[in-house]
Amino acid sequence: MRICRFNSDRIGVVQGSSVVDITDNFDLNSKWPTPPGEWVMSQLTSLKEGGQYSSRLPLSLTDVRLDSPIANPGKIIGAPINYKAHIDEANADREINQGKTYTSLDEYGLFLKAGSSLIGPSQTIHPRFADRRTDHEVELAVVIGKKASRVSRKDAFAHVFGYTIGLDITVRGKEFPGFRKSADTYSVLGPWLVTADEVPNPDALDLSISVNGEIKQKSNTRLMIFDVARLIEYASSFYTLYPGDVIMTGTPEGVGPIVPGDRLVAEVERIGKLEMQVGQVLA
Ligand code: MN
């Protein structure tokens, strides 16, 4: 099942080139204080396990504005160095490594991206600074469906709701990754969430991104150093994962600058295609 969020506050199931509005199935009344976890995501898990769908007439995908499929993830977790060839290119490029030598994820750990950085397909990436290099990073994004703390590799997949495409946009520089990767519009998810049953092996998916029609990154998730289960085990050894939390699983080699006017097309096998425009630097 492909689940999208559209027109700001609607939840849909994507069927071919149509969207069926299933918003009526959800309790959207806000509670305060909001409990941990993404409120709608918690309900999606039960919907997937046999809920009712709306009988509203389908809409055409081309007539809706797609938003990030997760509205308010409690955490957007990033894996900084999870492909060998990306570690090699980072260690060879002073603008990326800033004098550091990257070794392994075990040593560096993960980082967090601010929720306020998150946008979806109908929005635009805006570089924050005209005078600093800002790079694209295409990644498989894992979306948590069930609360997970100290989960073992073997139990990891029971906590996954599904997958989407993630862009981890990055200002290069000396600051901590969580700071450089958290500018407004620097986290992109979309075009929709594909439930885990449709992705039997997330550790063997082709992924790529092109800039203005030229392929820049092209790899396969089988080359990840920490696979999806290990990333869940590792992340949940430090903090509890809640429904709607997102793990961006790291980027392969080929990262490079984006500038206003660029057109990005990211693809991940079994998920789809995410097309994004790079807009102006905002004052
Ligand atoms: Mn990344």
Side-chain angles (χ1 to χ4, degrees), residues 39-245:
W39 177 236
V40 165
M41 270 303 304
S42 311
Q43 300 176 64
L44 268 173
T45 304
S46 52
L47 182 79
K48 194 177 73 165
E49 287 163 1
Q52 294 288 308
Y53 292 153
S54 158
S55 56
R56 286 171 185 250
L57 285 175
L59 304 163
S60 169
L61 250 183
T62 53
D63 292 339
V64 305
R65 282 177 292 105
L66 290 176
D67 303 298
S68 162
I70 316 298
N72 292 303
K75 292 188 278 305
I76 304 169
I77 300 164
I81 42 171
N82 203 23
Y83 287 78
K84 172 76 168 62
H86 175 58
I87 297 176
D88 292 344
E89 81 175 343
N91 284 334
D93 183 341
R94 177 88 195 182
E95 284 186 334
I96 298 178
N97 67 52
Q98 299 287 320
K100 287 195 294 279
T101 302
Y102 291 107
T103 51
S104 75
L105 215 45
D106 283 307
E107 195 173 330
Y108 273 82
L110 306 173
F111 61 88
L112 295 172
K113 289 166 72 76
S116 53
S117 66
L118 181 59
I119 60 168
S122 64
Q123 293 166 280
T124 303
I125 298 165
H126 293 283
R128 188 74 180 181
F129 306 101
D131 57 350
R132 294 187 61 172
R133 175 174 158 186
T134 292
D135 281 6
H136 56 78
E137 296 189 352
V138 64
E139 314 198 358
L140 170 69
V142 180
V143 180
I144 298 298
K146 285 183 181 153
K147 189 173 166 179
S149 180
R150 298 189 188 278
V151 168
S152 68
R153 285 184 57 92
K154 130 178 113 49
D155 295 330
F157 285 116
H159 300 83
V160 173
F161 181 85
Y163 303 91
T164 185
I165 302 173
L167 299 184
D168 175 20
I169 306 296
T170 303
V171 177
R172 297 299 171 195
K174 287 186 180 300
E175 302 94 334
F176 288 122
F179 191 51
R180 291 184 287 105
K181 293 165 171 276
S182 284
D184 295 354
T185 76
Y186 277 31
S187 300
V188 187
L189 294 175
W192 40 64
L193 187 50
V194 177
T195 51
D197 56 294
E198 295 190 14
V199 187
N201 185 5
D203 299 310
L205 302 175
D206 286 330
L207 74 170
S208 66
I209 189 168
S210 68
V211 179
N212 304 325
E214 187 185 337
I215 293 282
K216 297 288 188 180
Q217 297 183 268
K218 189 172 176 54
S219 189
N220 187 286
T221 58
R222 83 169 71 86
L223 296 172
M224 294 192 298
I225 299 167
F226 279 27
D227 61 15
V228 169
R230 174 70 182 121
L231 283 169
I232 291 168
E233 179 181 64
Y234 190 42
S236 75
S237 73
F238 270 74
Y239 29 54
T240 301
L241 306 178
Y242 291 97
D245 281 4

